[in-house]
Amino acid sequence: MTANNRIVLSSDHAAIALRQTLAAHITTLGWEVVDIGPTTPESTHYPKHGEAAAQRIVSGDCRLGIVLCGTGQGIMMAANKVKGIRCGVCSDTFSARMIRQHNDANMLSIGARVVGEGVALDIVDAFLSAEFEGGRHGTRVDMITALEQ
Ligand code: RB5
């Protein structure tokens, strides 16, 4: 783990309980969790929560981020609009590991209405324990970054 062991978590109303469960788990792994998601169940708009989490990463405040909504899709789309963010939705551990190893993803998105708590915890573990492999994958990530210009 690098000096910056801070990870930002956020969600919309559809994923509050799962987000809080993940936050408690991630804390036990030694991360400093910055949970900026809503805590009350009123309907809210996932784009603003995805954007706010993404800004914590591009500002350097947090190294990684995890966002959740009902499907994981909308909040992922919003996060990926922020320059410098590479966020993938994962419903399986293989993808969660690979988006770190090959895509250098700095954010993970999970659908709280798609996967159960046990699978979500495994997905988070796979994402957080994997490292970017660089090499040819670095060339490809650089090509993604170039698309932002
Ligand atoms: C909220 O009902 C739902 O649309 C949202 O959580 C998410 O699934 C959007 O992508």
Side-chain angles (χ1 to χ4, degrees), residues 12-15 43-44 46 68-75 113:
D12 71 0
H13 56 281
S43 182
T44 182
Y46 59 80
L68 307 95
C69 63
T71 59
Q73 301 291 348
I75 202 161
R113 295 173 178 162

Side-chain angles (χ1 to χ4, degrees), residues 25-144:
H25 173 68
I26 293 165
T27 299
T28 70
L29 300 178
W31 289 83
E32 183 182 347
V33 173
V34 180
D35 187 347
I36 59 170
T39 54
T40 55
E42 296 81 34
S43 182
T44 182
H45 303 306
Y46 59 80
K48 67 180 182 183
H49 300 293
E51 199 255 341
Q55 293 295 352
R56 293 291 185 125
I57 294 167
V58 297
S59 72
D61 182 40
C62 295
R63 182 155 75 94
L64 295 174
I66 297 177
V67 287
L68 307 95
C69 63
T71 59
Q73 301 291 348
I75 202 161
M76 174 274 290
M77 292 177 195
N80 275 322
K81 293 296 181 187
V82 176
K83 201 180 265 193
I85 293 299
R86 290 177 300 281
C87 181
V89 181
C90 293
S91 300
D92 65 276
T93 56
F94 177 76
S95 298
R97 186 168 73 250
M98 295 307 286
I99 64 169
R100 287 289 302 127
Q101 291 181 349
H102 284 194
N103 312 118
D104 199 17
N106 46 17
M107 293 187 76
L108 164 70
S109 183
I110 298 174
R113 295 173 178 162
V114 180
V115 299
E117 181 182 297
V119 172
L121 287 164
D122 283 354
I123 287 169
V124 166
D125 285 345
F127 180 76
L128 294 181
S129 59
E131 294 291 340
F132 182 49
E133 292 177 355
R136 69 185 187 283
H137 304 297
T139 302
R140 294 162 186 167
V141 171
D142 288 346
M143 292 170 72
I144 295 174

